[in-house]
Structures are given as C-alpha cells and as structure tokens.
Amino acid sequence: MTMTLPPSITHPAEALVLARIAPGVRERAAAVRLMVFDVDGVLTDGSLYYGETGEVQKRFHSLDGHGLRLLMEGGLKVALMTGRSGPIVARRAAELGISEVMQGVRDKGAALAELAQRSAVQLNQTGYMGDDIIDLPAMQRAGFAASVPNAPGYVSQAAHWIATQPGGGGAVRECCDLLLASQGRLGSFLAAPGLLGPGAIQ
C-alpha cells in the first residue's frame, strides 16, 4: 500500500514523526534556524558522577549526538547553554562540531537574545530545550520551546512540545527529528544514511 504524503512531506518517516504533532507546533518547529539545548537533564539524565579526585563526570547518549549532527548538516545552527561550567561539556561539543557553547549562564533569556542577535536570527526563529526553572526565561522567549517528560509541571507548561524520551536518553534526538521533519529535511538523510560519513562521532 502506497502512503499519500502531504506536499511538504518528502519521506514517509517524516509523516510518521509528525503524525501526532499539532499543526501549531509544527509551524513553530519549521521556523527554527537556531536551536539551543540545555545540558544537564536534557543532553544528560541530570546525574552528576564524582571521581575520587572530585572531577565531575556526565553520561551522554549517542542517539542525541547523532541527532545534533543531523541538525547541523540540515543547515540549522546549534548551541549548548548551561548554568554549570566544566571541561566535559566543551569536550562533547567539540566532538560533535558544535562551536557555540555557553557555560556558567545565569540569565538564559538574555543569553538567548544575545546569541540570536549575534547569529542574525530573529527570536521567533530560535528554539530552546530545557528542563528546569533556570531555563524558563529562554523557553518563554524562544519561538519554539521544548522540554523533557520529567520536567516540573510549571516548566512543562511553558513548552510547546514535550519529548516522550527522557533527558540523556533520546529526548534531544526526538527533538532533532521533529525539527528536521517539520522542515522537510529528514527524508534526505534517510535516503542517504551515510551522509555524515563512516565513523562519524555521535
């Protein structure tokens, strides 16, 4: 049986990703040109592991890393923004080719506005994915606000879309797929799975 796709959908998988997405959310996602992600609780599960000498360790998921790579290959600007500071985030960003990393941020709303201006992007063309109180100012200013399923209720209420997968366990990948599908760009990667090249870091 052949699936009939809407004119803006280029691949059946895009229709699958967008099947349960409200039209208004899809429109917001389609407008995003700069997507910013919180780290703790979004790119990680929020856990902090301390080594014997006091160094902090975090766990990242390869699915999320691949999603971020796809997002950048799809033409979107990607940035990481966190209230904490440390070398782990910078290292992970470098592995993925993310050059815009903002650490030690206290006012994420102001930081998002400044980043948008510096990137020549309107605020309604920005997206932000967060999970806690510190993320609310950025979520409230972004054109597309996303969150994770275990975020506090008052944070979830500020989100236009909430992932079904947990932070650090596929939530970011789910968000990346939504953005790419909404913009009709996911199909090109599915048609050419090796587009990122062999051995691409995830």
Side-chain angles (χ1 to χ4, degrees):
M1 180 178 179
T2 302
M3 179 184 295
T4 302
L5 303 177
S8 60
I9 302 299
T10 62
H11 193 282
E14 292 179 352
L16 182 64
V17 169
L18 298 172
R20 298 182 180 180
I21 304 300
V25 173
R26 179 180 167 186
E27 290 174 5
R28 287 179 178 275
V32 172
R33 296 296 175 266
L34 166 65
M35 187 66 202
V36 183
F37 295 90
D38 174 40
V39 177
D40 296 304
V42 174
L43 270 170
T44 77
D45 64 4
S47 299
L48 299 174
Y49 305 92
Y50 289 88
E52 292 183 358
T53 59
E55 73 277 13
V56 178
Q57 301 176 9
K58 302 180 183 184
R59 182 178 67 87
F60 298 93
H61 202 295
S62 61
L63 278 177
D64 295 334
H66 198 192
L68 293 171
R69 289 289 305 275
L70 291 174
L71 212 56
M72 291 184 287
E73 288 290 332
L76 277 74
K77 299 177 181 179
V78 172
L80 305 184
M81 185 184 295
T82 175
R84 299 178 65 90
S85 297
I88 297 176
V89 175
R91 177 178 176 180
R92 181 58 173 157
E95 284 181 337
L96 297 173
I98 300 172
S99 58
E100 194 64 63
V101 182
M102 307 174 73
Q103 300 199 63
V105 179
R106 289 293 173 260
D107 186 343
K108 291 191 173 185
L112 177 66
E114 187 275 331
L115 177 59
Q117 184 178 36
R118 182 153 42 88
S119 304
V121 172
Q122 300 296 316
L123 274 173
N124 62 3
Q125 295 177 310
T126 66
Y128 186 90
M129 189 171 193
D131 73 314
D132 211 338
I133 294 174
I134 192 174
D135 300 304
L136 283 174
M139 293 174 67
Q140 291 164 349
R141 300 190 75 168
F144 170 69
S147 192
V148 295
N150 62 325
Y154 45 81
V155 175
S156 298
Q157 286 183 342
H160 301 114
W161 173 83
I162 300 172
T164 62
Q165 299 301 310
V172 167
R173 175 57 175 275
E174 194 177 348
C175 182
C176 293
D177 283 352
L178 168 61
L179 291 167
L180 290 169
S182 296
Q183 299 183 17
R185 303 181 186 192
L186 183 61
S188 62
F189 293 107
L190 294 167
L195 197 58
L196 292 181
I201 291 178
Q202 301 174 339

